[in-house]
Amino acid sequence: MTSAPNHEQKVIAAAQWLADQNEPPAMVVRTIRERFSLSAKEACDACALAQKYRINRRAFG
């Protein structure tokens, strides 16, 4: 039996989702908060992590 994802897992999931978007949504923080049930800080953390994912993908393929 698996438990509900903790906050860190939700932030990572949101970051992965955002990094996969060709065009980020216009109101990205609001979208991430609603879609992944995150706080404003967690949504901002997810945005920062998504940017790191994009940079790593460009650098390392």
Side-chain angles (χ1 to χ4, degrees):
M1 183 170 160
T2 58
S3 61
N6 66 27
H7 293 291
E8 185 177 337
Q9 291 171 328
K10 289 175 16 178
V11 168
I12 291 169
Q16 290 171 337
W17 175 83
L18 182 58
D20 288 341
Q21 303 305 302
N22 288 331
E23 285 289 322
M27 297 191 313
V28 68
V29 172
R30 176 187 272 177
T31 301
I32 290 174
R33 288 188 71 190
E34 292 172 356
R35 188 177 188 107
F36 294 93
S37 301
L38 300 175
S39 69
K41 172 151 181 359
E42 290 168 334
C44 291
D45 290 345
C47 290
L49 187 56
Q51 184 60 24
K52 289 179 184 179
Y53 289 160
R54 287 187 207 104
I55 290 169
N56 285 336
R57 285 179 185 169
R58 276 186 248 139
F60 302 110

